[in-house]
Amino acid sequence: MNIDNGKKTIADVKNENNFFKKILLVMALVNVFLLAILAYALMKETVVVVPPVVTNKYEISAYGASPTYLVDMAEYVMTMLRTINPNNVEHNNSIILKMASAEAQPKMRKILDAQAARIKKEDIITVWSGANIPPKIVNKNSVVLNGILKTYYSDKLVSSDPKEYKVTFDINSFGRLYVTQIEEIKPSVAPISNQSVEQQ
């Protein structure tokens, strides 16, 4: 009688264990499913940015950014990069580096540091102003800007040249924008992420 009861108890315990194992398996699958939904939602989510001053509404997500956002960010980058003098060049360079992607940062830092040293040593001032030519978006995340770059040596204007630059961005899975390359549209000039775009 005791043997039969013992066998029955063992069988009941085994059944309960199997039942709990199935529940644990179902819960694990549900968690994996919920994590997949969360990851999908984060990838698909569109961030709407409405700046306090600008009247445009921006949208940015893992799938891309609105053209107005890319253009405004490209113009901001070019202003930081080319409207410089011995007093603000390091500050402006630090802003550019904070916006740069991790892959582009080391080479970009080397180039910007060299340019800052030259700006200070030769007392150079450059001023970038946009042209009337509308910006162009190419390859989805690149913006081509036209403008005039004025260069001063010791407060004396030495050049005022039309320039064309391409600013390339990368957008990560969370919708954050990074600068990956800045290049002057000129066959003899290499991209800033690889080699220096020399100050004119």
Side-chain angles (χ1 to χ4, degrees):
M1 190 78 173
N2 289 336
I3 292 174
D4 289 340
N5 286 339
K7 286 182 179 178
K8 187 176 182 241
T9 302
I10 290 171
D12 289 342
V13 169
K14 282 184 178 179
N15 287 335
E16 285 180 5
N17 282 343
N18 288 336
F19 176 72
F20 286 121
K21 283 179 182 176
K22 287 176 182 175
I23 288 178
L24 287 173
L25 179 62
V26 170
M27 289 176 68
L29 291 173
V30 168
N31 283 336
V32 169
F33 179 70
L34 290 174
L35 284 172
I37 289 176
L38 178 62
Y40 176 76
L42 287 173
M43 294 278 288
K44 189 175 165 111
E45 182 182 5
T46 298
V47 179
V48 179
V49 183
V50 185
V53 177
V54 182
T55 56
N56 288 325
K57 182 171 77 172
Y58 302 139
E59 291 186 7
I60 180 169
S61 70
Y63 301 109
S66 59
T68 52
Y69 182 66
L70 291 177
V71 167
D72 285 355
M73 290 304 294
E75 289 177 343
Y76 178 73
V77 167
M78 285 311 305
T79 300
M80 288 292 105
L81 184 68
R82 287 294 180 251
T83 302
I84 49 178
N85 58 59
N87 296 320
N88 74 359
V89 63
E90 288 188 0
H91 171 73
N92 287 17
N93 285 354
S94 70
I95 291 174
I96 297 293
L97 290 171
K98 285 177 186 175
M99 298 174 67
S101 65
E103 296 79 15
Q105 258 191 20
K107 290 180 181 178
M108 201 175 283
R109 182 184 300 277
K110 183 178 178 182
I111 293 163
L112 293 177
D113 285 348
Q115 289 184 348
R118 182 183 171 202
I119 292 288
K120 290 180 177 181
K121 181 180 178 182
E122 300 181 22
D123 194 21
I124 299 172
I125 297 172
T126 62
V127 178
W128 168 262
S129 56
N132 291 327
I133 302 172
K136 293 183 294 184
I137 295 179
V138 293
N139 300 329
K140 188 179 178 181
N141 287 340
S142 296
V143 180
V144 175
L145 298 172
N146 288 272
I148 303 295
L149 183 67
K150 294 183 178 181
T151 304
Y152 299 81
Y153 283 90
S154 299
D155 295 330
K156 181 182 178 183
L157 179 64
V158 293
S159 67
S160 180
D161 301 318
K163 296 285 183 180
E164 188 175 27
Y165 288 95
K166 183 169 78 170
V167 182
T168 302
F169 299 100
D170 182 37
I171 302 173
N172 70 10
S173 57
F174 297 101
R176 181 167 176 181
L177 193 80
Y178 294 95
V179 178
T180 59
Q181 192 175 71
I182 306 164
E183 62 181 311
E184 185 176 348
I185 308 297
K186 205 173 185 182
S188 61
V189 179
I192 196 170
S193 62
N194 298 319
Q195 294 179 20
S196 176
V197 176
E198 293 293 338
Q199 291 282 353
Q200 300 299 313

